[in-house]
Amino acid sequence: MSEQAIAKRTVVIVGRPNVGKSALFNRIANRRIAIVHDQSGVTRDRIVREVAWNDEAFHLVDTGGIRLFDGTREKNVIEMAVRDQVDVAMADAACIILVVDVLSGLQPADEEVARLVHKSGRPCFLAINKCDLPQHESGAGDFAKLAFPAFKVSAQHNRGMEELMAAVTKALPPKSEAEKAADAKPLRVAIVGRPNAGKSSYINRLLRSDRVIVSNVAGTTRDCVDVPFTIGTGPTARRYTLVDTAGMRHVHKIDTSVERFSLFRSEEAVRECDVAVLVMDAEIGPTTQDKYIASMIQREAKACVILINKWDLARAKGFTETAAIAHMREMLPYLRHVPVVFMSAQEGYNVRNSIEAIDRVAEHQRRVLPTGVLNRTLSNALAQIQMPGKNGRHLRFHYATQTGSNPMILRLFVNDARLATKPFQDFLIRNIREAFDLEGAAIILQFRSRVKPGEGRDKAAPDGDETPADPGETPAAPRRPLPRRPRPTGKPSLGRGRNNLTPKAFRKRK
């Protein structure tokens, strides 16, 4: 297994901290992907997204800010890891956008970044950012000594972007045959979990390289990092996009706006993914926050795989898989259908099995169930139970069909959808999973009320929710409106608080 080579049509954004790299990244991508904040050093890992500008598709990479080290090695491990990530990104780039801040003027750190770009040998375009007003452009002449084609832009107000991107897209090489073969949409896998559960270590183990920054400091990963990943070659290759997310802390424990933005990005990554991988710490076990993340995955109807990381440490303390699974099912009963893989990202134990579990769950999520087999399965299951009911009325099942996949959506036509209780729906989902072997897949049941021809309308059925059983079936006759009762005349209606006593003026005279 190896990381998918970054496409040759790759544009890398570099610069010192807080010059607007992430804002420029979001402007080119035409959506808010990278976190933009006044705090310095928010972006750490390199963020990769496939974007298009005027029908020119390419990979766009946002990098962390490069600091000036004064010729000495930085003691901060995270800062040095950010520098290494930038070096790798520039080595894979087709061209580079160097971002500077016109309001701050030319800084020594800008010259340091320019020196690194010249050393890489890649074509580079200078984006003089924060030229929000025409009077700001007067300071652009200070950056002439960097010796790059300069463009006065404002990422926040979209000024000068067309000129910059016209030059950037013109410098990109034509798309190769390998890149054209890789245009098929990859499987999007979101790696989620609490801080320090081992999400980034798992991705690095899969790629066999330090693709994302790993440290013992909680909250090292702040943004969602897309990592292309491929197994095999040629037309049979399996392509993935691994999304490394920030650790999800409890919302009441979030102290800064950056952490809050990170939580929003992680939740968005779950909504956009095909398969969610929930990583847990084997020594700590399922926590309240793990239960919250698991419920969010279920609420978003995503296929799921549970990875129990650091199993080498738990096994050394006498933990067994049988006891751990039993405890897991007890703590997370709504994820009993989800496969559990015990692994160690540090040692590489069961890492390959985790990919196989992801592939299996993704295949289940995309399956299309035959309508005839589905209806026979449901009819056999319903014959074993008493149908739910209310006030002497019971639910009657007509037929079912699949209307969507990924997630799997099944539409069931019944006499009254309001009688389908939550336990009844869970019973049907369990039977469907067992009958069709849908381990880890999310299933959505949609109940629709309808009336068969000749039965008449069910008075309790909600209006506007009927669906004919078949396209060629004659719908039920429309309901005639009931005649209005004439309002009583003579005595006026009595107001409240009069104890229903006839007023003296309207009493019969003897």
Side-chain angles (χ1 to χ4, degrees):
M1 295 182 291
S2 62
E3 181 179 4
Q4 178 181 349
I6 297 290
K8 293 182 180 179
R9 295 170 60 87
T10 301
V11 179
V12 177
I13 301 175
V14 299
R16 63 179 176 85
N18 238 23
V19 294
K21 299 183 299 300
S22 296
L24 186 68
F25 178 90
N26 291 342
R27 174 63 65 183
I28 298 174
N30 198 27
R31 60 176 299 189
R32 299 180 64 179
I33 299 174
I35 297 177
V36 178
H37 197 273
D38 294 336
Q39 178 181 334
S40 176
V42 171
T43 303
R44 291 174 173 175
D45 294 287
R46 62 185 193 267
I47 304 172
V48 184
R49 277 297 171 95
E50 185 175 358
V51 301
W53 187 277
N54 293 338
D55 298 330
E56 288 286 342
F58 55 91
H59 285 76
L60 186 65
V61 183
D62 185 21
T63 61
I66 301 177
R67 299 179 183 274
L68 185 63
F69 295 146
D70 297 329
T72 61
R73 296 289 292 179
E74 176 66 39
K75 295 182 179 180
N76 191 320
V77 177
I78 295 180
E79 292 295 343
M80 291 308 303
V82 170
R83 176 70 171 269
D84 294 339
Q85 292 286 319
V86 176
D87 292 339
V88 173
M90 288 193 297
D92 293 332
C95 66
I96 298 173
I97 299 177
L98 172 56
V99 186
V100 294
D101 185 353
V102 69
L103 301 180
S104 301
L106 183 62
Q107 301 291 325
D110 295 324
E111 298 179 342
E112 170 70 9
V113 179
R115 184 186 65 81
L116 294 176
V117 174
H118 279 296
K119 185 179 179 181
S120 69
R122 300 294 191 269
C124 178
F125 302 93
L126 183 66
I128 305 177
N129 194 26
K130 303 185 182 180
C131 293
D132 302 337
L133 300 173
Q135 54 264 35
H136 295 158
E137 300 178 0
S138 59
D142 299 339
F143 300 94
K145 64 182 301 184
L146 299 182
F148 293 120
F151 298 86
K152 305 167 188 176
V153 302
S154 172
Q156 183 176 3
H157 299 286
N158 197 21
R159 295 185 71 240
M161 292 301 301
E162 287 293 341
E163 294 79 3
L164 171 64
M165 295 309 300
V168 169
T169 53
K170 188 176 180 180
L172 293 175
K175 185 175 292 189
S176 64
E177 294 298 329
E179 292 170 334
K180 293 178 181 178
D183 281 343
K185 183 179 179 181
L187 183 69
R188 193 167 183 84
V189 182
I191 314 297
V192 297
R194 295 183 298 104
N196 269 5
K199 301 181 294 297
S200 299
S201 299
Y202 171 64
I203 292 179
N204 287 342
R205 170 60 67 173
L206 283 176
L207 306 179
R208 297 181 180 177
S209 67
D210 295 333
R211 172 58 180 84
V212 287
I213 300 175
V214 177
S215 76
N216 294 326
V217 180
T220 299
T221 303
R222 289 176 169 175
D223 218 327
C224 293
V225 183
D226 287 14
V227 182
F229 175 61
T230 300
I231 298 179
T233 58
T236 60
R238 294 178 289 171
R239 294 181 174 84
Y240 310 82
T241 297
L242 306 177
V243 185
D244 186 20
T245 63
M248 296 185 184
R249 298 178 63 194
H250 194 279
V251 64
H252 296 302
K253 296 182 179 180
I254 294 178
D255 302 325
T256 64
S257 58
V258 173
E259 286 187 278
R260 191 172 299 277
F261 290 150
S262 298
L263 178 61
F264 293 160
R265 293 291 191 270
S266 299
E267 293 175 348
E268 184 180 8
V270 173
R271 286 192 292 269
E272 295 179 350
C273 74
D274 298 311
V275 178
V277 176
L278 176 56
V279 182
M280 299 184 188
D281 191 326
E283 293 185 289
I284 300 177
T287 64
T288 303
Q289 186 63 10
D290 290 322
K291 295 171 69 174
Y292 166 77
I293 299 172
S295 64
M296 181 184 62
I297 294 173
Q298 185 192 37
R299 183 173 63 252
E300 297 296 338
K302 297 299 179 180
C304 182
V305 174
I306 296 178
L307 297 186
I308 309 298
N309 192 27
K310 306 179 184 180
W311 186 243
D312 54 330
L313 303 178
R315 188 168 48 188
K317 295 182 179 180
F319 287 50
T320 63
E321 294 186 5
T322 303
I325 289 181
H327 180 61
M328 181 78 58
R329 301 308 188 196
E330 180 182 357
M331 295 292 293
L332 304 173
Y334 41 86
L335 292 185
R336 290 181 178 271
H337 63 284
V338 173
V340 179
V341 179
F342 296 88
M343 54 156 282
S344 171
Q346 186 71 24
E347 296 184 352
Y349 170 72
N350 258 358
V351 172
R352 183 176 294 274
N353 290 340
S354 67
I355 289 294
E356 294 177 356
I358 293 172
D359 288 339
R360 185 170 64 253
V361 167
E363 181 183 357
H364 294 167
Q365 188 80 340
R366 292 192 290 256
R367 285 184 59 183
V368 177
L369 307 182
T371 303
V373 181
L374 173 63
N375 280 272
R376 284 195 298 271
T377 301
L378 292 176
S379 298
N380 295 335
L382 296 177
Q384 303 173 11
I385 63 170
Q386 182 178 359
M387 299 293 282
K390 185 178 181 181
N391 297 330
R393 299 181 58 256
H394 291 279
L395 184 71
R396 293 195 307 273
F397 168 74
H398 299 319
Y399 83 105
T401 185
Q402 183 175 349
T403 59
S405 59
N406 196 20
M408 182 178 296
I409 302 176
L410 304 179
R411 184 166 294 176
L412 287 76
F413 297 98
V414 296
N415 63 326
D416 189 351
R418 295 176 297 181
L419 298 177
T421 61
K422 183 64 168 58
F424 175 73
Q425 297 181 37
D426 294 340
F427 168 78
L428 293 182
I429 292 177
R430 285 196 304 269
N431 279 269
I432 293 171
R433 280 206 180 98
E434 293 175 1
F436 295 97
D437 189 21
L438 299 176
E439 182 187 29
I443 302 176
I444 300 176
L445 299 183
Q446 295 179 344
F447 288 83
R448 294 292 184 268
S449 302
R450 59 166 296 275
V451 179
K452 287 185 177 180
E455 288 187 357
R457 178 180 173 84
D458 193 339
K459 296 181 180 180
D463 294 335
D465 202 22
E466 303 91 10
T467 305
D470 295 304
E473 185 177 352
T474 305
R479 175 185 174 185
R480 294 183 178 179
L482 296 177
R484 294 184 178 180
R485 297 180 179 177
R487 299 184 65 176
T489 58
K491 297 181 181 180
S493 59
L494 299 178
R496 294 183 180 179
R498 298 185 181 181
N499 298 324
N500 292 332
L501 297 178
T502 305
K504 186 176 181 180
F506 292 93
R507 294 178 184 174
K508 292 182 179 181
R509 296 180 179 179
K510 297 182 180 179

